Amino acid sequence: MGLDNINHEILELDKVLEKLSELCSSKDSKQAALAVRPSDELYTVRTEMAKTASALNMSIKNGTPAFYSINNVSASLNRAKAGGTLSLGELLEIKKVLGQTNELCKWFDQNEDKNTPLSYLFEQLFPNKSLWQRLETAILDSENLSDDASPELRSIRNKIAKAGLKIRETLDKMIKSPATQKYLQESIVTMRDGRFVVPVKTEFKGNVGGLVHGTSATGSTLFIEPISVVEANNEVRILQGKEQDEINRILTEFSKECAMMQPQIESNYDAAVKLDLYFAKANLGAKMRAVDPEISDDGIIVLNKARHPLIDENKVVPINFRSGTDYNVLVITGPNTGGKTVTLKTVGLLTLMTMCGLMIPASDGCKISVYKNILADIGDRQSIQESLSTFSSHMGKVKDIIDKADHESLVLIDELGSGTDPVEGAALAVSIIERLRQVGATVVTTTHYQEIKMYALDTDGVENASCEFDVETMRPTYKLVIGSPGKSNAFAISKNLGIDDDIISYAKSLISEENRRFEHIIDDLEKARISLEENNLLAEKYRKEAETLRNELNEQKKKFMEDKEFELEKARRQASDIVNRVQRESQALVDELDKLRKEKEKNGFTQKAMDARQKQRSTMNKLYLEANPVSEQPDDDYVLPRPLKKGDTVLITDTKRNGIVVTPPDDKGMCFVQAGIMKTKIDVKKLRLVEKQQPAKTPQKQQTKKKRGVSTKGVESRMTRRFSTELDIRGYASDEGIHEMDSFIDNCVMSGISMVTVIHGIGTGVLKNAVRNHLCRHPSVKSYRPGVYGEGEDGVTVIELK
């Protein structure tokens, strides 16, 4: 593979891997982080990136699992397998591995999704909670076993404690005795070789009987074990031997059990180390606010708001970069310290990070291509040992790049052709770029040469870019602008640094006319670009304002629909209450009639029947008034020009709708009015007579009819009386239904009816749509609308005629 360590150092991948290593917990996972290398296999890169992204997604949902500093226990397990007894320290390390395994399994069980790119590693974990719990209980540290390691060990240690206490009591009495104190160096009890002794002055050796176990450094003190406690000390030593035998037995038992679990424990360790590495990758991505880019091998790189991961995020300026779409060669120009080299390193480093399965610090929508070779020459690589100049070192590196470059290579060259005569250097740089372009390499290079800028303008597949420079503040903005060549701004920078104006003016006069024209073109392009960016920013501002306004309108619409539904529900409840009341009142009337029927033969029946009828009419009128959900309209001085009769067209003031009088008003002033498909009993005070406009008479028709001697007056009168304001065409085919509707509308127009209803049903919607589409073009139709609640809703169409 063409990705060597030199390129890693140039692009600073090793520093990113050091950051990754710092986030790992165990020694082997830290080493694995430092050993991560880019892969040039598309499948491998996608797989590794999917594992990193999976670790991050799971961490976001459930938090990052806890990782501990665990060590490789394979050597200890191999020794246990061979029959050896493990030390407490070795068992302690095995216990840590088992504890890490338990933690990871418990954490993974909390995840709802068990089918993730990292699931295979969790499946390689084999928890043994029983062994871990016993090791946890038994081992205090690498030097001591707990009393709870076994009942026998606790019993032996209790006996040792009791025996030791008894010896101390005996010796305490001795050293407190006035007869013995005068022989002692100090009135204390101490230990020598695991036995209790007292410090006796050398000159009184014969006055305290016992066994001597040593002398002090000065020889002035003898440590004597009194005869009275020799037997007790012997008993303690025997118990201590038993204690050690029990400890050895416990360690042997644990060693055998660990040996039996050798494959599982080793699998646990390997899986834990790998998971530690992947979650470290996820944590590094989270710290960098990174994303997982789309990965391909088509040579296309797209970076949105990409940041160099080793520059302070409060100082780094994000760049937008693309290559491999309309062009494969990008020439970046601009002043020194303007960000050209940082751009090269950012592109190269983020590509390497992606190929390592690391997420990149950028925004969504990024795309990275996998390359077989990433070839870079960035910075001054002068070799003193080889006595090479900067230019020689530079061209030596470029030669290696040319030899290795192909269509699967990403080439990054800083200041191509620099360090020699500008004319020759520019010509050489153009020639090198052309060679790299011909072999199909993706090339990103920086330059100051005008000839390379011109070459990029004139050559297909080659594009200019510039690192923006603010001439007013004399500072670079570090913003990468693709499609526009940049200026070195040498004169402006020199002037700002205090170079005399006459020196700068003379320098300008030395520039050829062609170069001056080119600089003016660049200036014009830059001004046009800045103007376009300002317009784009303004357009984006207006778009956001429009989006905000649209959201506000949607919220208002949503609130309106909620309020509407609330009011409709309220009206439905009121209507339901009215219906229930009507039902109760009707039942009361039925009961009253039943009672009257039973009293038919009694005196005064006729009068009672009349009273009941009158009461029934009064009750029903009251119910009709209550059933009207529309609020009362204020009274005015309107008086009907004549009594209403059947067939009159009236305006219902409550609803502002027209209707047809079905029955003349009764003695209470109530009459039935047909409005659409609804027939309602209404007080005449709420009605306004609508005078029909007589259609203009056609003289020729009148003359023709007169000639025929046929009178139409009676016929028209009968049609008006019999004609209905409803047409039911349910079940008709579309063309048949429209034909019937046309005849119906013509008759209604001739009859002076202004509001009619067509019942077509909902069904599949074919007949409904055909009716409404036809009404749009009908010359006699003023307007139409679907029915509302109580009229048949979308199953009817209410038509207002001209």
Side-chain angles (χ1 to χ4, degrees):
M1 177 172 182
L3 301 173
D4 54 38
N5 289 329
I6 294 177
N7 287 319
H8 295 178
E9 294 175 5
I10 293 174
L11 297 173
E12 300 178 296
L13 176 63
D14 54 328
K15 295 181 180 179
V16 175
L17 296 181
E18 287 176 5
K19 288 180 172 290
L20 176 63
S21 176
E22 292 171 0
L23 296 174
C24 294
S25 299
S26 63
K27 178 181 178 181
D28 283 356
S29 59
K30 288 178 180 292
Q31 291 178 349
L34 294 173
V36 169
R37 291 296 177 265
S39 172
D40 58 0
E41 295 294 334
L42 178 62
Y43 174 78
T44 301
V45 174
R46 285 178 172 173
T47 301
E48 290 300 299
M49 185 63 75
K51 294 176 185 177
T52 303
S54 175
L56 180 60
N57 290 335
M58 289 192 290
S59 296
I60 292 173
K61 292 179 181 178
N62 300 295
T64 304
F67 287 96
Y68 309 122
S69 177
I70 57 176
N71 294 315
N72 195 332
V73 293
S74 295
S76 299
L77 291 171
N78 288 332
R79 195 160 61 81
K81 191 76 172 178
T85 300
L86 302 182
S87 66
L88 279 174
E90 291 173 310
L91 290 173
L92 186 62
E93 292 300 325
I94 292 174
K95 184 198 76 169
K96 291 180 180 179
V97 173
L98 292 173
Q100 178 72 85
T101 302
N102 294 338
E103 284 290 333
L104 291 174
C105 290
K106 180 181 178 181
W107 180 88
F108 188 64
D109 288 341
Q110 298 175 352
N111 286 268
E112 296 180 1
D113 186 8
K114 296 296 189 294
N115 186 22
T116 71
L118 290 177
S119 296
Y120 79 99
L121 288 176
F122 286 98
E123 291 170 358
Q124 294 175 16
L125 297 172
F126 301 94
N128 189 328
K129 293 184 179 179
S130 174
L131 177 58
W132 173 81
Q133 184 62 55
R134 284 186 285 119
L135 288 172
E136 176 74 11
T137 302
I139 301 176
L140 294 176
D141 51 44
S142 60
E143 300 292 336
N144 298 290
L145 267 181
S146 168
D147 294 348
D148 297 325
S150 74
E152 180 64 20
L153 182 62
R154 176 179 290 277
S155 174
I156 293 172
R157 286 182 173 176
N158 286 339
K159 291 177 182 179
I160 292 175
K162 290 178 181 179
L165 181 61
K166 184 177 179 181
I167 294 172
R168 279 187 172 278
E169 289 177 351
T170 300
L171 294 178
D172 282 344
K173 291 179 180 178
M174 179 182 293
I175 63 178
K176 291 178 182 178
S177 169
T180 308
Q181 280 185 348
K182 58 186 177 182
Y183 305 128
L184 300 179
Q185 194 75 15
E186 292 181 86
S187 298
I188 60 171
V189 178
T190 186
M191 297 281 293
R192 278 291 186 273
D193 299 325
R195 302 178 76 87
F196 290 96
V197 296
V198 293
V200 179
K201 297 177 182 178
T202 303
E203 59 269 26
F204 298 117
K205 173 182 178 181
N207 297 99
V208 179
L211 304 176
V212 177
H213 287 280
T215 62
S216 64
T218 61
S220 62
T221 304
L222 297 176
F223 296 101
I224 298 177
E225 177 185 4
I227 295 296
S228 60
V229 296
V230 168
E231 192 63 31
N233 269 330
N234 289 339
E235 182 182 354
V236 169
R237 293 301 294 269
I238 293 172
L239 289 173
Q240 289 174 342
K242 291 181 178 180
E243 177 190 24
Q244 189 59 48
D245 290 342
E246 178 63 13
I247 289 174
N248 292 337
R249 186 195 68 79
I250 293 171
L251 295 181
T252 301
E253 182 180 320
F254 278 138
S255 299
K256 289 180 179 179
E257 192 166 355
C258 290
M260 293 175 61
M261 279 200 65
Q262 179 185 16
Q264 293 90 335
I265 296 174
E266 288 180 344
S267 177
N268 291 342
Y269 179 79
D270 292 340
V273 168
K274 291 176 182 177
L275 287 170
D276 188 10
L277 176 60
Y278 285 119
F279 279 95
K281 287 183 176 182
N283 289 335
L284 180 63
K287 290 182 67 175
M288 295 189 302
R289 293 182 290 114
V291 298
D292 53 319
E294 178 186 349
I295 302 171
S296 68
D297 58 358
D298 56 8
I300 296 176
I301 299 177
V302 177
L303 298 175
N304 296 323
K305 296 183 179 178
R307 308 177 303 278
H308 195 288
L310 300 177
I311 301 177
D312 186 347
E313 64 175 320
N314 296 319
K315 297 179 181 179
V316 66
V317 177
I319 64 168
N320 295 324
F321 178 92
R322 69 180 185 277
S323 180
T325 50
D326 301 330
Y327 52 87
N328 290 328
V329 178
L330 188 67
V331 177
I332 304 176
T333 53
N336 290 328
T337 71
K340 302 190 299 299
T341 303
V342 171
T343 298
L344 284 183
K345 287 189 173 183
T346 300
V347 173
L349 180 55
L350 267 54
T351 301
L352 284 175
M353 288 174 63
T354 301
M355 295 167 66
C356 289
L358 294 170
M359 305 172 80
I360 60 174
S363 297
D364 293 331
C366 294
K367 183 176 181 179
I368 296 291
S369 181
V370 174
Y371 295 96
K372 295 291 183 183
N373 298 291
I374 296 182
L375 308 169
D377 178 29
I378 301 175
D380 185 1
R381 301 188 58 79
Q382 183 172 353
S383 174
I384 297 176
Q385 292 83 355
E386 299 179 17
S387 300
L388 296 176
S389 68
T390 299
F391 178 74
S392 298
S393 175
H394 172 58
M395 293 312 299
K397 185 66 177 177
V398 169
K399 178 186 180 300
D400 292 339
I401 291 175
I402 294 173
D403 292 341
K404 296 177 181 178
D406 57 16
H407 66 285
E408 294 181 308
S409 301
L410 172 63
V411 178
L412 307 169
I413 305 179
D414 194 20
E415 300 293 351
L416 180 59
S418 63
T420 187
D421 176 76
V423 176
E424 294 180 355
L428 186 60
V430 170
S431 180
I432 292 171
I433 293 174
E434 185 62 22
R435 167 64 69 85
L436 294 173
R437 188 178 73 87
Q438 289 176 358
V439 300
T442 299
V443 181
V444 185
T445 183
T446 65
T447 186
H448 288 286
Y449 294 140
Q450 299 283 29
E451 291 83 356
I452 300 180
K453 301 177 189 178
M454 291 295 296
Y455 165 74
L457 288 173
D458 295 337
T459 307
D460 291 337
V462 183
E463 184 63 87
N464 273 304
S466 61
C467 287
E468 191 177 62
F469 185 84
D470 191 336
V471 180
E472 294 183 0
T473 62
M474 300 307 297
R475 291 183 179 180
T477 65
Y478 303 102
K479 180 180 178 183
L480 181 67
V481 181
I482 295 178
S484 174
K487 297 173 60 179
S488 297
N489 293 291
F491 294 149
I493 294 173
S494 299
K495 182 177 180 179
N496 187 62
L497 293 174
I499 302 298
D500 293 342
D501 290 343
D502 56 342
I503 296 177
I504 295 174
S505 298
Y506 181 65
K508 289 181 178 179
S509 68
L510 297 178
I511 298 177
S512 66
E513 182 63 26
E514 181 180 352
N515 283 339
R516 280 199 294 271
R517 286 199 304 269
F518 184 72
E519 289 293 324
H520 288 318
I521 292 173
I522 292 178
D523 283 339
D524 292 340
L525 285 174
E526 183 67 10
K527 291 177 182 177
R529 181 189 64 78
I530 293 174
S531 177
L532 179 60
E533 284 192 353
E534 290 175 350
N535 290 335
N536 287 340
L537 290 175
L538 191 60
E540 179 65 15
K541 175 185 176 183
Y542 290 153
R543 187 193 66 78
K544 289 181 179 179
E545 290 178 354
E547 182 71 16
T548 301
L549 182 60
R550 186 176 70 85
N551 292 336
E552 290 177 355
L553 290 175
N554 286 337
E555 287 295 324
Q556 292 177 4
K557 179 181 177 182
K558 180 180 178 182
K559 186 176 184 303
F560 171 77
M561 296 303 294
E562 291 174 352
D563 293 343
K564 174 185 175 183
E565 185 60 33
F566 174 78
E567 293 299 330
L568 285 174
E569 182 61 27
K570 180 179 177 182
R572 292 188 192 104
R573 289 197 299 268
Q574 292 176 348
S576 178
D577 293 341
I578 292 171
V579 170
N580 292 334
R581 194 154 55 251
V582 169
Q583 186 176 8
R584 291 195 298 271
E585 295 290 344
S586 298
Q587 186 61 43
L589 292 174
V590 171
D591 293 343
E592 183 69 20
L593 290 174
D594 188 53
K595 181 179 179 182
L596 291 175
R597 181 182 61 76
K598 294 177 181 178
E599 296 180 355
K600 182 176 180 181
E601 302 301 328
K602 297 182 180 179
N603 295 333
F605 171 77
T606 301
Q607 183 61 41
K608 290 181 179 180
M610 292 175 63
D611 293 343
R613 185 177 296 278
Q614 182 66 28
K615 180 178 179 183
Q616 186 268 347
R617 288 177 180 172
S618 176
T619 300
M620 292 306 296
N621 288 339
K622 181 179 178 182
L623 290 174
Y624 275 116
L625 290 173
E626 290 180 354
N628 182 7
V630 183
S631 61
E632 292 287 339
Q633 298 293 328
D635 293 334
D636 53 24
D637 299 331
Y638 178 80
V639 178
L640 288 169
R642 59 173 174 79
L644 297 178
K645 60 183 180 179
K646 183 178 180 181
D648 282 341
T649 300
V650 293
L651 173 68
I652 306 172
T653 58
D654 287 341
T655 61
K656 303 300 183 184
R657 294 180 57 200
N658 285 351
I660 305 298
V661 177
V662 179
T663 62
D666 58 16
D667 55 353
K668 298 296 184 180
M670 305 291 289
C671 66
F672 280 98
V673 176
Q674 183 81 34
I677 63 172
M678 295 184 64
K679 186 167 70 173
T680 311
K681 195 170 186 180
I682 302 176
D683 193 328
V684 293
K685 295 178 181 178
K686 300 179 181 292
L687 302 177
R688 303 290 184 265
L689 181 63
V690 177
E691 298 291 349
K692 300 177 183 177
Q693 297 180 355
Q694 297 296 330
K697 297 180 180 179
T698 305
Q700 186 174 358
K701 284 187 176 182
Q702 287 180 344
Q703 292 173 5
T704 303
K705 291 179 180 179
K706 286 180 180 179
K707 287 180 181 179
R708 293 182 180 179
V710 179
S711 173
T712 62
K713 182 176 181 181
V715 175
E716 291 176 355
S717 177
R718 288 193 299 275
M719 287 176 65
T720 301
R721 288 196 303 270
R722 293 197 308 267
F723 198 81
S724 172
T725 59
E726 293 180 0
L727 173 66
D728 190 348
I729 58 173
R730 288 177 293 184
Y732 281 62
S734 296
D735 53 347
E736 294 175 348
I738 290 174
H739 177 74
E740 288 291 323
M741 183 176 67
D742 284 341
S743 300
F744 172 72
I745 291 175
D746 291 341
N747 291 334
C748 288
V749 171
M750 293 175 62
S751 301
I753 298 174
S754 61
M755 190 71 69
V756 296
T757 301
V758 175
I759 306 173
H760 44 64
I762 298 177
T764 62
V766 175
L767 181 57
K768 175 187 70 175
N769 293 335
V771 166
R772 293 177 180 173
N773 290 337
H774 184 69
L775 291 175
C776 292
R777 304 183 297 272
H778 201 290
S780 298
V781 175
K782 181 178 181 182
S783 65
Y784 68 94
R785 62 173 176 81
V788 296
Y789 182 80
E791 292 181 332
E793 300 183 28
D794 209 31
V796 305
T797 299
V798 180
I799 307 168
E800 183 180 1
L801 302 175
K802 295 181 180 178

